[in-house]
């Protein structure tokens, strides 16, 4: 904040029902509401039971499977598509059909001239460990509608490239873990004894971070 590196505006998108619960928690819990009120003392802050909007932060209730509805609500909350934009999805696309996630990614690629998308979700789901993960979720009535695109790092990259992004990369979380400063890793691992290291490694190999970008301004 002191170096003026905060984003111009942060948008959080979720289902309207979830947004209503989030706003109820913000309004009813002073540790959540007080910082928002204080940081916007001189700005306009609109908050009701179904939406929150300010000059720097908005919570938007929308269904990501309808990009036209999503765009309309974002623009209503002062989205500026000409600014460089970072889009982050955490275990979101896997719950959409391949057609629905492709539509969302294509919309983002065509809407923002300068943008990066970061996606965190499952990978390597065709092996035995991945199949067990799917079966466990299905027993809890949780359907991974887009799991076929989580078969490999290549399938994750190809999904992004096929949706209009200029370049794409993907690494599994075990690789990410190996990139962390070793001093931090030792400190973290000393906090609690990990007796199932093989299971931990298998789990990390079945999640990944993918990122893609397009840059018409050569930033």
């Amino acid at each position: 904040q002191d170096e003026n590196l905060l984003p111009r505006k942060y948008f959080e998108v979720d289902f309207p029902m979830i947004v209503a619960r989030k706003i109820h928690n913000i309004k009813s819990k002073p540790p959540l509401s007080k910082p928002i009120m204080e940081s916007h003392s001189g700005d306009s802050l609109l908050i009701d039971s179904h939406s929150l909007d300010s000059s720097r932060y908005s919570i938007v209730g929308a269904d990501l499977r309808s990009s036209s509805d999503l765009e309309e609500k974002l623009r209503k909350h002062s989205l500026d598509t000409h600014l460089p934009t970072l889009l982050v999805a955490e275990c979101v696309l896997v719950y959409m059909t391949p057609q629905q996630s492709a539509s969302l990614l294509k919309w983002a690629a065509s809407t923002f001239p300068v943008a990066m998308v970061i996606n965190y979700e499952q990978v390597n789901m065709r092996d035995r460990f991945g199949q067990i993960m799917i079966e466990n979720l299905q027993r809890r009535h949780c359907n991974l509608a887009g799991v076929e695109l989580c078969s490999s790092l290549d399938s994750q990259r190809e999904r992004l490239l096929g949706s209009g992004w200029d370049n794409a990369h993907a690494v599994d979380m075990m690789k990410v873990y190996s990139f962390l400063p070793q001093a931090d890793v030792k400190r973290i691992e000393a906090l609690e004894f990990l007796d199932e290291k093989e299971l931990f490694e298998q789990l990390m190999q079945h999640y990944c971070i993918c990122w893609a970008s397009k840059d018409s301004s050569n930033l």
Side-chain angles (χ1 to χ4, degrees), residues 129-148:
F129 189 90
Q131 290 302 306
I132 291 173
M133 288 174 64
I134 294 170
E135 291 165 8
N136 287 339
L137 288 167
Q138 286 175 339
R139 279 197 286 271
R140 299 173 188 173
H141 307 289
C142 185
N143 179 40
L144 301 181
V147 74
E148 66 184 80

Side-chain angles (χ1 to χ4, degrees), residues 10 12 17 21-22 25-26 53 60-61 63 67 72 93-94 105 107 125 128-129 138 152 163 166 175 208:
Y10 179 90
E12 182 173 349
M17 180 178 68
R21 284 165 49 190
K22 288 180 177 179
N25 283 329
I26 290 172
D53 186 41
V60 180
D63 190 332
S67 54
E72 180 184 347
L93 302 183
V94 69
L105 291 168
W107 166 79
M125 295 299 280
R128 182 58 189 147
F129 189 90
Q138 286 175 339
S152 67
S163 298
D166 293 342
K175 193 78 171 176
C208 68

Side-chain angles (χ1 to χ4, degrees), residues 13-218:
V13 181
D14 215 326
F15 285 119
M17 180 178 68
I18 305 298
V19 166
R21 284 165 49 190
K22 288 180 177 179
I23 292 175
H24 171 74
N25 283 329
I26 290 172
K27 293 171 70 174
S28 61
K29 294 177 170 57
L32 296 176
S33 60
K34 188 178 177 182
I36 292 177
M37 301 302 179
E38 288 177 348
S39 63
H40 295 88
S41 57
D43 298 327
S44 60
L45 173 63
L46 303 175
I47 182 168
D48 56 35
S49 59
H50 295 288
S51 64
L52 184 155
D53 186 41
S54 74
S55 61
R56 302 299 294 264
Y57 174 58
S58 286
I59 303 180
V60 180
D63 190 332
L64 294 175
R65 293 169 295 188
S66 173
S67 54
S68 59
D69 176 57
L70 171 65
E71 182 170 355
E72 180 184 347
K73 290 181 176 178
L74 289 172
R75 289 188 182 277
K76 182 181 176 182
H77 289 76
S78 305
L79 173 72
D80 186 347
T81 58
H82 298 292
L83 289 175
T85 302
L86 174 65
L87 304 104
V88 181
E90 181 182 357
C91 292
V92 172
L93 302 183
V94 69
Y95 291 103
M96 305 164 71
T97 67
Q99 295 76 18
Q100 290 165 343
S101 63
S103 176
L104 178 64
L105 291 168
K106 287 175 182 176
W107 166 79
S110 62
T111 300
F112 302 97
V114 181
M116 173 177 278
V117 58
I118 298 175
N119 178 36
Y120 169 81
E121 66 181 4
Q122 293 89 336
V123 74
N124 298 324
M125 295 299 280
R126 285 184 176 171
D127 65 15
R128 182 58 189 147
F129 189 90
Q131 290 302 306
I132 291 173
M133 288 174 64
I134 294 170
E135 291 165 8
N136 287 339
L137 288 167
Q138 286 175 339
R139 279 197 286 271
R140 299 173 188 173
H141 307 289
C142 185
N143 179 40
L144 301 181
V147 74
E148 66 184 80
L149 295 176
C150 303
S151 60
S152 67
L153 294 175
D154 284 339
S155 68
Q156 289 281 12
R157 283 190 293 265
E158 288 165 7
R159 156 207 267 177
L160 293 164
L161 293 172
S163 298
W165 295 86
D166 293 342
N167 58 74
H169 308 272
V171 292
D172 69 51
M173 292 307 296
M174 201 62 224
K175 193 78 171 176
V176 173
Y177 196 67
S178 72
F179 291 155
L180 298 177
Q182 286 306 298
D184 279 352
V185 171
K186 289 179 181 178
R187 178 183 59 80
I188 293 166
E189 291 183 345
L191 294 175
E192 186 172 344
F193 178 66
L194 182 64
D195 58 351
E196 292 286 355
K197 193 162 186 178
E198 183 180 348
L199 182 60
F200 168 75
E201 291 178 355
Q202 284 183 307
L203 193 60
M204 296 281 271
Q205 288 164 357
H206 287 79
Y207 281 88
C208 68
I209 285 183
C210 322
W211 65 98
S213 62
K214 53 173 300 195
D215 183 7
S216 62
S217 299
N218 295 315

